[in-house]
Amino acid sequence: MKVVALVSGGKDSCYAMMKAIHYGHEIVALANLMPLDDSVDELDSYMYQTVGHQIIVRYAECMGLPLFRRRIQGSSRHQELGYKETQGDEVEDLFTLLREVKRKIPSVTAVSSGAIASDYQRLRVESVCSRLGLVSLAYLWKQDQSLLLQEMITSGIVAVTVKVAAMGLDPAKHLGKELAFLTAYLHKLKELYGINVCGEGGEYETLTLDCPLFFNARIVLDEHQVVMHSSDAIAPVGILHPLAFHLENKADVQHLKSQDNLHDICTQKLGSVYEVHDSLEGCEATYKPLDYRADTMDDIEHKFNISRTNNKGTFSLSFWLQDSCNGLQEDLRIVLGKIESQLLGLGFGWENVLYIHLYIDDMNKFSEANETYVNFIRHEKCPFGVPSRSTVQVPLIESGFSSAYIEVLVSNNKSKKVLHVQSISCWAPSCIGPYSQATLHEGILHMAGQLGLDPPTMNLCQGGPDVELEQALKNSEAVAKCYNCSVSTSAIVFVIYCSKRVSSSERLNIQEKQETILRQMKISHLQEADTYKELDPLFLYVLVPDLPKRACVEVKPILYVEDGTDTVPEALTERSRSETPSHYWGFQPENWHDSCIQKCVVSGKICAIILNITSELATKICFDSQPTDNVNNGQYSLPKAYMEKISKFCIYLLDKVMTDNDFTWEDIMSLRFYIRESLQMSAQLLQPMFCNALFELSEMSHNNFKNGEEPIFNIVPVIGAGKSASSMDDVVTCELLARKY
């Protein structure tokens, strides 16, 4: 991509440019914001560094690139962490600046910035980029600061301190010193006082005088003066005010260009400088998607199916059409509109949604689905953060569904913590669209489906499905660390989707790789965290026709994150059993029942259950019948009577496991039944079976947990599912997540 680089003069923005070039992008312009008054060195701003702004004008000549500058006229008016367009705010100066760059250089598609740890800065850059249709590049984001500082010095960045404001840093001693000279001392201060060695806490600021991107010249600071802002005895604050400097031309331009395989950049001797003023001429309208509202949907009556669990705190709501004939985009538009209507009817909105499962019938239409999705779910409707999401292709049409099927997890409150990083970085894959990496709500971390994407390039890793799985787990771990936990010790459930293109032998490699990587992560995390608390997670492998980007695997973890109020996690711990027998439909407890049950109970509050009903177990459930022999041309058929009995057994066993662990059907947040497509049973046939089983259980147990006429479960058609990657051949797989309130 062609990139405009935001430059403050500091080391971070310069190194961010170098990283952008390393990953194949081309810097075509520079952009800088400076004080309204030239005599002012520093502004009271959380957003911009301006110390040394007098020298930035020469960056254009040093790099041979056009430099666009704007004087900051706004102030920090919108001081909340998240940002929305606010007239008079200093962020609008950045918008005006980048809008002019885009107008002058239409080929610009991305913006580079040096954000390392500040969500405040990153979110504002991402907001401006989103409004202008630009991609944010933040290659330093979440990187280890000690390693990062050393990389900057080793790469050839020559930067001096122009501000110090931390315990142990003395303006008289440390201003104007090169980073290479101060590195050891900064690490000593980190050990003593916990400072950020890259200055992310405002401990110090730098001015870059030379770097490998300065092809034409380096900057030489001839004269400066120290200006004290505070003479505090513990942490004095001082800045370096440049009085005189000059450029020193570089003779061996070609040699510098070859360092680190830097991208071929124009090296003309002089770069142009443009000062950007307020102007209405040539202003481009920012992108605003169409706003489809539930009350403006078409008046055509559709046959539809809706389900909802009973949990009063967090419940799942799903919707699909029974009379689909309109194609994916139209089906998805209707489904999203109906869900929005249901939410409004319950007094909720999209801001209450924690997670979305998007099932589509054709991954070739993934971009079309996103176009429709963004018309309903976007930042303006979700001020607390957009929901996390998983998208997979499943055999919907073949199983009697519409071409789009949505399941949303809804909370009755808005106390969620959303992680949504839109910038491309080395940290984890970006979520440029209206869906977030993860959503934490009341101790449960719902993570978006993770592909094996290389974060800085956003390309799938090469080397096969096991390599993709390893990267997907690493990406999941990067997200988990933002919540001070690890997927290796805090995961409740792993759902791992596998594409049908993955061969049987490759599936076995996937499972071996998964076990190895999680074991290594666990050892590393327990050493770093100095804790021995860990959960024993459940695993569910699901075989599907296709995944986004033609990926081989997608990993979807659910984690438990301690908030300090819960007791020590009780993983796989037996809780008090009910004394009331539950031998419904004549089923009796059998030793083999344990072979199809996976469960994880956490703190007596959260319960996850997975039931795996294989063909062999289906035969046992149906006594002397032989459903496993009903194979015709590769299609596995099952008599309706057998499936009815299997559905009752699933309900019986779920009820028993929940009762034994002091959970009820009213505690269920989500319940899915994965059904093999080869059974040749439509949703219209299967849903009444499970509904009848639940109704009969309700009658027999004298416990009314039905939700009116709506089912409390979702049917998900798949090619296969199972507890291991090598045997995804369950007849039925149940996935349940419950939480007490």
Side-chain angles (χ1 to χ4, degrees):
M1 290 186 285
K2 294 187 183 299
V3 179
V4 53
L6 297 178
V7 290
S8 63
K11 65 188 187 316
D12 302 338
S13 57
C14 285
Y15 193 55
M17 284 192 286
M18 294 176 67
K19 297 292 283 186
I21 292 169
H22 174 77
Y23 288 112
H25 304 294
E26 180 182 3
I27 309 296
V28 297
L30 309 174
N32 168 254
L33 287 140
M34 56 183 177
L36 194 61
D37 186 345
D38 285 336
S39 65
V40 174
D41 284 296
E42 184 179 37
L43 295 178
D44 182 16
S45 170
Y46 293 113
M47 188 68 189
Y48 309 119
Q49 172 189 325
T50 57
V51 179
H53 67 86
Q54 301 90 343
I55 293 178
I56 304 302
V57 67
R58 306 309 293 270
Y59 276 29
E61 185 174 348
C62 290
M63 293 184 64
L65 291 174
L67 169 65
F68 294 80
R69 306 191 80 188
R70 175 174 171 80
R71 297 184 184 277
I72 302 170
Q73 301 179 36
S75 58
S76 300
R77 297 194 175 187
H78 189 92
Q79 296 186 0
E80 297 176 9
L81 182 59
Y83 181 76
K84 61 182 180 180
E85 185 176 344
T86 304
Q87 187 175 3
D89 192 275
E90 61 185 355
V91 176
E92 298 308 308
D93 290 304
L94 177 61
F95 175 82
T96 302
L97 175 64
L98 292 179
R99 182 182 62 189
E100 179 63 12
V101 173
K102 189 177 177 183
R103 187 182 75 82
K104 286 284 184 68
I105 311 176
S107 61
V108 166
T109 56
V111 176
S112 169
S113 68
I116 298 176
S118 172
D119 283 307
Y120 185 92
Q121 294 173 346
R122 174 185 59 80
L123 288 168
R124 278 151 177 74
V125 173
E126 290 176 352
S127 173
V128 169
C129 286
S130 178
R131 290 161 60 188
L132 291 170
L134 298 168
V135 176
S136 171
L137 305 178
Y139 284 116
L140 311 190
W141 181 251
K142 291 291 183 183
Q143 298 302 291
D144 181 278
Q145 292 189 37
S146 294
L147 295 177
L148 197 56
L149 182 60
Q150 188 56 49
E151 285 179 15
M152 292 179 188
I153 295 169
T154 304
S155 71
I157 289 180
V158 178
V160 297
T161 51
V162 290
K163 178 183 178 181
V164 294
M167 187 181 299
L169 290 176
D170 184 345
K173 294 180 181 179
H174 300 121
L175 278 176
K177 296 294 188 292
E178 288 189 14
L179 271 183
F181 173 79
L182 290 175
T183 300
Y185 186 63
L186 291 172
H187 280 90
K188 180 180 178 180
L189 294 182
K190 177 187 176 183
E191 294 177 5
L192 290 173
Y193 310 122
I195 74 161
N196 296 277
V197 295
C198 279
E200 279 299 286
E203 293 88 346
Y204 69 92
E205 292 178 1
T206 61
L207 179 66
T208 300
L209 301 179
D210 193 14
C211 79
L213 299 183
F214 287 9
F215 296 120
N216 297 328
R218 62 179 61 87
I219 299 169
V220 178
L221 189 59
D222 298 315
E223 186 180 354
H224 67 270
Q225 70 178 100
V226 173
V227 179
M228 296 298 297
H229 280 199
S230 168
S231 298
D232 184 87
I234 297 176
V237 179
I239 64 171
L240 182 150
H241 176 76
L243 296 175
F245 62 93
H246 71 274
L247 297 188
E248 185 178 273
N249 291 334
K250 293 182 176 180
D252 192 0
V253 173
Q254 188 59 43
H255 170 69
L256 290 170
K257 282 176 62 181
S258 66
Q259 287 188 14
D260 297 325
N261 297 315
L262 294 173
H263 196 280
D264 183 20
I265 294 180
C266 175
T267 58
Q268 69 255 31
K269 285 293 180 181
L270 292 175
S272 304
V273 178
Y274 304 91
E275 184 161 340
V276 177
H277 303 280
D278 290 321
S279 173
L280 295 178
E281 295 180 8
C283 292
E284 298 182 14
T286 56
Y287 172 70
K288 290 187 178 180
L290 295 175
D291 188 7
Y292 288 138
R293 295 179 56 85
D295 55 9
T296 60
M297 302 297 292
D298 58 48
D299 295 327
I300 300 174
E301 286 295 326
H302 295 276
K303 293 180 181 179
F304 60 88
N305 186 284
I306 192 165
S307 66
R308 180 164 69 91
T309 55
N310 283 331
N311 193 299
K312 303 302 181 185
T314 306
F315 61 91
S316 67
L317 183 68
S318 70
F319 189 95
W320 50 274
L321 296 171
Q322 295 181 5
D323 58 346
S324 168
C325 59
N326 304 307
L328 177 60
Q329 275 194 301
E330 183 63 12
D331 281 357
L332 185 57
R333 184 182 72 85
I334 295 169
V335 167
L336 286 167
K338 289 293 185 181
I339 286 185
E340 188 171 272
S341 295
Q342 289 288 322
L343 290 171
L344 291 172
L346 294 169
F348 301 136
W350 291 112
E351 67 270 22
N352 293 93
V353 175
L354 307 174
Y355 201 95
I356 295 178
H357 285 86
L358 173 58
Y359 303 110
I360 59 178
D361 74 325
D362 186 356
M363 198 55 72
N364 290 318
K365 299 178 181 177
F366 179 72
S367 59
E368 295 178 19
N370 270 340
E371 288 176 11
T372 304
Y373 186 92
V374 73
N375 289 323
F376 287 88
I377 304 165
R378 55 182 188 271
H379 297 281
E380 293 83 353
K381 293 184 178 181
C382 305
F384 305 100
V386 290
S388 303
R389 191 182 86 179
S390 172
T391 305
V392 296
Q393 177 180 329
V394 294
L396 293 174
I397 302 298
E398 299 90 331
S399 304
F401 292 83
S402 54
S403 54
Y405 175 10
I406 292 280
E407 177 189 336
V408 299
L409 188 65
V410 186
S411 168
N412 65 2
N413 62 54
K414 301 169 185 176
S415 60
K416 59 182 180 180
K417 182 180 178 182
V418 176
L419 177 66
H420 186 199
V421 178
Q422 299 180 69
S423 300
I424 294 177
S425 69
C426 298
W427 162 72
S430 64
C431 289
I432 297 175
Y435 41 91
S436 59
Q437 279 90 354
T439 301
L440 175 63
H441 181 256
E442 297 181 339
I444 300 180
L445 182 62
H446 306 272
M447 198 177 295
Q450 295 291 326
L451 303 179
L453 294 171
D454 177 43
T457 63
M458 291 298 287
N459 294 325
L460 283 172
C461 290
Q462 301 298 307
D466 59 327
V467 177
E468 284 189 31
L469 177 81
E470 180 176 0
Q471 187 62 52
L473 288 172
K474 289 180 178 178
N475 294 338
S476 302
E477 181 73 349
V479 173
K481 284 185 175 180
C482 292
Y483 294 91
N484 299 314
C485 64
S486 168
V487 293
S488 64
T489 57
S490 298
I492 302 170
V493 181
F494 282 99
V495 178
I496 301 175
Y497 298 105
C498 295
S499 167
K500 68 177 182 180
R501 297 191 306 277
V502 180
S503 67
S504 299
S505 60
E506 288 174 325
R507 293 174 202 166
L508 186 59
N509 292 338
I510 284 175
Q511 184 154 346
E512 291 175 351
K513 178 69 74 171
Q514 163 249 304
E515 293 170 354
T516 300
I517 296 299
L518 289 179
R519 183 169 57 251
Q520 292 172 347
M521 285 181 176
K522 181 182 294 186
I523 293 171
S524 175
H525 177 72
L526 293 179
Q527 288 175 341
E528 293 177 2
D530 192 28
T531 177
Y532 295 94
K533 297 178 182 178
E534 60 180 280
L535 299 178
D536 193 358
L538 316 184
F539 288 90
L540 172 59
Y541 289 84
V542 181
L543 191 62
V544 297
D546 206 357
L547 294 167
K549 290 183 174 288
R550 297 292 183 266
C552 294
V553 293
E554 178 177 326
V555 178
K556 181 171 70 78
I558 299 175
L559 281 67
Y560 169 70
V561 179
E562 291 186 87
D563 58 7
T565 60
D566 291 336
T567 57
V568 177
E570 303 171 35
L572 297 174
T573 301
E574 293 293 331
R575 297 183 57 78
S576 59
R577 293 175 176 267
S578 170
E579 298 299 325
T580 304
S582 55
H583 303 160
Y584 303 123
W585 298 293
F587 293 120
Q588 299 286 337
E590 300 280 355
N591 290 334
W592 61 266
H593 288 180
D594 290 340
S595 66
C596 61
I597 300 171
Q598 297 182 71
K599 68 170 182 177
C600 181
V601 178
V602 185
S603 299
K605 291 184 176 182
I606 300 166
C607 178
I609 304 171
I610 293 177
L611 300 186
N612 303 97
I613 310 300
T614 63
S615 300
E616 180 182 357
L617 293 179
T619 302
K620 289 185 177 183
I621 294 166
C622 299
F623 297 105
D624 59 348
S625 57
Q626 299 295 322
T628 54
D629 295 334
N630 292 280
V631 179
N632 182 24
N633 294 325
Q635 294 295 311
Y636 181 96
S637 61
L638 194 67
K640 180 180 177 182
Y642 294 165
M643 193 63 194
E644 286 177 340
K645 192 156 191 177
I646 292 171
S647 68
K648 291 176 181 178
F649 178 79
C650 290
I651 299 302
Y652 155 77
L653 206 53
L654 288 173
D655 180 72
K656 183 177 185 303
V657 176
M658 284 195 295
T659 301
D660 288 349
N661 291 277
D662 300 329
F663 285 83
T664 69
W665 290 89
E666 286 78 11
D667 295 325
I668 294 177
M669 294 167 55
S670 63
L671 174 59
R672 300 182 195 93
F673 293 103
Y674 297 91
I675 309 293
R676 278 169 58 177
E677 173 206 0
S678 59
L679 291 177
Q680 298 179 294
M681 290 188 171
S682 68
Q684 290 82 355
L685 179 65
L686 289 165
Q687 191 172 76
M689 289 184 188
F690 286 96
C691 283
N692 290 337
L694 281 164
F695 177 76
E696 290 178 17
L697 176 66
S698 177
E699 292 287 307
M700 290 186 290
S701 64
H702 306 290
N703 181 13
N704 182 21
F705 49 78
K706 286 280 289 178
N707 196 11
E709 297 300 317
E710 299 169 351
I712 63 170
F713 58 86
N714 299 318
I715 301 286
V716 182
V718 294
I719 296 176
K723 66 174 67 174
S724 71
S726 58
S727 59
M728 292 184 278
D729 55 2
D730 289 356
V731 174
V732 179
T733 308
C734 315
E735 181 194 1
L736 179 151
L737 182 63
R739 182 193 173 92
K740 291 180 182 179
Y741 283 91

